[in-house]
Amino acid sequence: MDIRAEPYDSRDATALRRDYYGEVAGRYWGRAATETEIDEGLTDDGVEELAPPTGRFLVGRCDGSPAACGGVRLLDSERAELTRVFVRPALRGTGGAGRLLDALEAAAAELGARRLVLNTRLDLVEARALYARHGYREIPRYTDEDPYAEVWYGKEPAGR
């Protein structure tokens, strides 16, 4: 998988963000999210923080096709938050998610972060397993911004 920084509002990044939201919302509601619900969910979602100088948005491609995405944003001078980490279902289990996490961690380090944090939901068991495999450990709640967050993770990057 080729992973590079890309504007969060590029055509491919937008399509990936829509797929991400559609999946997490659909799993939460127990049904497919409608296009209108996806539009509403993406409105004023803070994605502009995933652009320089406060963050980065990364897109992963397999054979030139958009396959994965994720964002990183600085919370303060020490911490960066990973968000919108997503790999299209057809490409899961290929190692791309691990490479995406590595790239997000590198982007966070470039922004000056010394600690990585993220939050997720308990029902997103695959994501939770991915984070645990890559050295993330449960930590106390660090924000109340996301009303759907149920578990919080943190990691000190290697060499810190």
Side-chain angles (χ1 to χ4, degrees), residues 87 89 91-97:
V87 175
L91 297 163
R92 293 180 185 161
T94 65

Side-chain angles (χ1 to χ4, degrees), residues 4-149:
R4 298 175 191 254
E6 189 166 313
Y8 63 82
D9 57 354
S10 74
R11 187 188 67 189
D12 289 343
T14 298
L16 286 162
R17 289 188 311 108
R18 291 183 69 78
D19 287 353
Y20 161 81
Y21 188 84
E23 181 172 335
V24 297
R27 286 178 72 165
Y28 182 79
W29 294 326
R31 61 167 175 78
T34 67
E35 291 299 311
T36 300
E37 290 168 333
I38 292 170
D39 290 341
E40 290 170 358
L42 294 176
T43 300
D44 297 325
D45 69 345
V47 70
E48 61 280 347
E49 294 179 8
L50 304 180
T54 57
R56 300 286 185 281
F57 194 79
L58 306 182
V59 170
R61 288 185 170 73
C62 280
D63 298 324
S65 296
C69 68
V72 59
R73 70 178 180 138
L74 287 174
L75 296 178
D76 54 41
S77 64
E78 295 284 318
R79 296 176 305 155
E81 180 182 54
L82 305 187
T83 183
R84 296 167 183 85
V85 177
F86 175 74
V87 175
R88 287 197 162 137
L91 297 163
R92 293 180 185 161
T94 65
R99 288 191 295 279
L100 178 60
L101 280 180
D102 290 344
L104 288 165
E105 291 173 8
E110 288 172 10
L111 291 168
R114 296 166 141 325
R115 180 161 174 75
L116 303 165
V117 296
L118 61 90
N119 65 70
T120 191
R121 296 192 326 243
L122 293 171
D123 65 319
L124 299 176
V125 294
E126 302 91 343
R128 293 177 54 219
L130 170 72
Y131 300 137
R133 278 194 314 273
H134 288 270
Y136 290 82
R137 300 292 174 248
E138 286 190 40
I139 60 171
R141 174 190 306 254
Y142 64 86
T143 181
D144 291 321
E145 283 182 18
D146 184 348
Y148 300 102

